[in-house]
Amino acid sequence: MKILITGAKGFVGRNLVENLKNVRDGKNRTCSFNVSEIFEYDIDTPENLLDVYCQKCDFVFNLAGVNRPKDNAEFMTGNFGFASKLLNTLKKYRNNCPVMLSSSIQATLIGRYGQSDYGKSKLAGEELFFEYGKETDSKVLVYRFPNLFGKWSRPNYNSVVATFCNNIANDLPIQVNDAAAQLELVYIDDLIEEMFNCLQSKETRCRYDGLQVILDENGKYCCVKTTHLVTLGRIVELLEIFRQQPQSLLMTDIAGGSFEKKLYSTYLSYLPKEKIIYDLKMNTDDRGSFTELLKTKNHGQFSVNISKPGITKGQHWHNTKWELFIVVSGRGLIQQRKIGSEEVLNFEVSGTKIQAVHMLPGYTHNIINLSETEDLVTVMWANEVFDVSHPDTFFEAV
């Protein structure tokens, strides 16, 4: 399949191009379609190439558009004008391949809800595409995108999420006029997945009832199924938590598919070089070191323990707290004894065969470095974050 992408250097275009390259180059083998060529067209592409691409392509993603012109008249020229040029070029070569149009929810607002020049230009582009579909019997897919966010979106342009992520990651000020203001957001990876659906004739169809999107397999429009309704205040709250993570070590809940997970990935993509790496506090003594790595709100914490040759660490027990010890380098002996019992359970472990050992509640336990020359490195997970006011840790030799 040969695919033409207009606006290829924009936010959506760049993400789509790079993901299509993964399919083309065999790096993504999960798709049921093939990509042989990707035609990238943008504002600086020689105009004659549009003819070449429109003659050869099997599918068109029209993502080109004007968002922030110097003159409002450029909205109609950049959005409606180019769309007309594109469709006329396809007609010139009698290429009736499917065409996708990137429109905006602003087009829905025209008439009863508003009169923005941007929305007018997008609505005009939609009508042009629908007429083209009737005239040529080509498949037309029109998407009215709400606010978009994700990696590579330009800050201080037309995405408040990009601006907030960039500024907070770089310790720059932000301005929030109304923390309760609610945004409907679509994440770039969800959008790209829907674009891949288009290439497989599995697009998500919908219709509009005022501003409400209703899924309808016979709908005139198309949409990205997954959206997130979030207030500006919540976005800022989360970004502040993300900014503090290297100090707090606390990883907030980032459930699969959640807005929090997608926003965190977006935030990280704006980190400056000096913030990509950060120090962890190593608690050191003559026995070695102990370093907390990561804490979670509901799923405990991770640490790494380094024991010098011949050293024994631990010698304590817990009522409710339990841990996993995973030796990743060196050779050690883990011992456990049930409180009130004399039987000792011995587990010899090493980095050559990585195993996880439960530290049982009600069992005193230790870990001994069996080597005379090599440090013993153990990754540890505890089912709860250490609470200095309620440590649940009691000394007793195994």
Side-chain angles (χ1 to χ4, degrees):
M1 185 182 295
K2 299 175 182 178
I3 300 170
L4 168 58
I5 302 171
T6 70
K9 292 183 179 179
F11 168 46
V12 176
R14 186 179 173 195
N15 276 274
L16 181 57
V17 166
E18 294 305 324
N19 278 281
L20 286 172
K21 285 179 181 178
N22 287 338
V23 178
R24 181 196 64 188
D25 299 341
K27 298 174 184 177
N28 181 349
R29 297 187 179 90
T30 65
C31 301
S32 61
F33 61 90
N34 296 313
V35 176
S36 57
E37 289 187 74
I38 302 168
F39 302 135
E40 300 178 46
Y41 191 87
D42 213 287
I43 194 168
D44 58 353
T45 306
E47 284 192 33
N48 66 298
L49 287 180
L50 186 63
D51 280 80
V52 175
Y53 297 160
C54 285
Q55 188 175 7
K56 293 182 177 180
C57 65
D58 302 307
F59 196 104
V60 179
F61 289 103
N62 183 35
L63 307 175
V66 175
N67 295 306
R68 288 283 186 93
K70 295 178 180 178
D71 188 318
N72 281 356
E74 294 178 35
F75 278 129
M76 195 61 73
T77 302
N79 293 328
F80 176 82
F82 178 78
S84 180
K85 180 179 180 180
L86 170 67
L87 298 180
N88 284 335
T89 307
L90 288 169
K91 284 193 283 188
K92 175 181 176 181
Y93 294 104
R94 298 178 182 176
N95 186 344
N96 297 336
C97 70
V99 289
M100 172 271 177
L101 172 66
S102 170
S103 186
S104 167
I105 197 67
Q106 293 296 318
T108 317
L109 304 177
I110 298 303
R112 184 166 45 153
Y113 301 100
Q115 292 292 339
S116 76
D117 290 324
Y118 176 70
K120 288 178 181 177
S121 69
K122 286 297 188 181
L123 184 60
E126 292 179 4
E127 293 169 349
L128 182 68
F129 265 68
F130 286 131
E131 284 300 316
Y132 170 81
K134 292 177 183 177
E135 179 185 347
T136 63
D137 200 30
S138 300
K139 185 175 184 179
V140 170
L141 304 98
V142 175
Y143 285 81
R144 287 178 168 176
F145 293 132
N147 299 281
L148 307 177
F149 75 106
K151 66 185 184 301
W152 305 339
S153 180
R154 192 202 310 185
N156 303 305
Y157 186 56
N158 66 346
S159 167
V160 67
V161 175
T163 301
F164 283 4
C165 284
N166 175 75
N167 287 18
I168 289 177
N170 289 278
D171 298 319
L172 298 172
I174 62 170
Q175 181 176 338
V176 181
N177 296 323
D178 182 4
Q182 195 171 60
L183 298 179
E184 181 181 17
L185 295 166
V186 167
Y187 183 54
I188 189 62
D189 287 5
D190 294 324
L191 191 157
I192 297 304
E193 184 176 345
E194 175 63 22
M195 296 302 95
F196 278 18
N197 287 341
C198 292
L199 295 172
Q200 302 169 83
S201 296
K202 296 178 181 178
E203 66 275 3
T204 304
R205 289 280 175 176
C206 69
R207 57 184 171 85
Y208 285 86
D209 183 1
L211 295 179
Q212 186 179 6
V213 180
I214 300 172
L215 297 181
D216 182 347
E217 61 182 15
N218 297 312
K220 181 179 181 180
Y221 292 90
C222 301
C223 66
V224 179
K225 195 177 298 185
T226 302
T227 65
H228 303 275
L229 290 174
V230 193
T231 64
L232 284 175
R234 177 58 176 163
I235 293 170
V236 173
E237 178 187 9
L238 286 168
L239 292 176
E240 290 293 348
I241 291 173
F242 302 159
R243 173 159 61 179
Q244 292 300 319
Q245 192 278 329
Q247 289 75 46
S248 69
L249 299 183
L250 182 64
M251 181 62 62
T252 191
D253 289 339
I254 48 173
S258 67
F259 173 72
E260 289 78 7
K261 178 182 179 182
K262 297 168 185 177
L263 183 65
Y264 211 151
S265 294
T266 303
Y267 167 78
L268 290 174
S269 72
Y270 291 91
L271 283 182
K273 179 182 178 181
E274 61 271 17
K275 284 193 176 183
I276 294 174
I277 185 171
Y278 58 93
D279 294 335
L280 295 170
K281 182 184 177 183
M282 295 180 66
N283 300 289
T284 60
D285 57 26
D286 56 2
R287 302 175 302 155
S289 67
F290 178 81
T291 306
E292 293 179 317
L293 303 178
L294 187 69
K295 300 177 181 179
T296 69
K297 186 176 180 180
N298 298 311
H299 304 289
Q301 71 175 62
F302 295 87
S303 308
V304 62
N305 182 76
I306 299 176
S307 302
K308 293 187 177 299
I311 290 296
T312 298
K313 284 190 174 184
Q315 305 284 50
H316 59 237
W317 64 279
H318 316 290
N319 282 302
T320 301
K321 178 179 177 179
W322 62 277
E323 301 160 296
L324 285 173
F325 284 8
I326 305 168
V327 168
V328 295
S329 180
R331 186 168 64 90
L333 176 67
I334 294 173
Q335 296 182 308
Q336 299 189 65
R337 178 178 60 80
K338 187 176 182 179
I339 298 302
S341 169
E342 295 184 359
E343 180 185 8
V344 175
L345 309 179
N346 294 295
F347 304 92
E348 192 165 332
V349 289
S350 77
T352 60
K353 182 182 179 181
I354 295 180
Q355 297 173 294
V357 183
H358 289 288
M359 299 299 109
L360 307 178
Y363 281 69
T364 186
H365 51 270
N366 64 26
I367 182 166
I368 304 168
N369 187 346
L370 297 178
S371 172
E372 297 180 0
T373 58
E374 193 177 16
D375 284 349
L376 179 68
V377 181
T378 308
V379 174
M380 298 176 171
W381 174 81
N383 71 321
E384 59 186 43
V385 173
F386 180 74
D387 182 356
V388 67
S389 66
H390 190 269
D392 190 16
T393 300
F394 310 97
F395 173 79
E396 183 163 338
V398 174

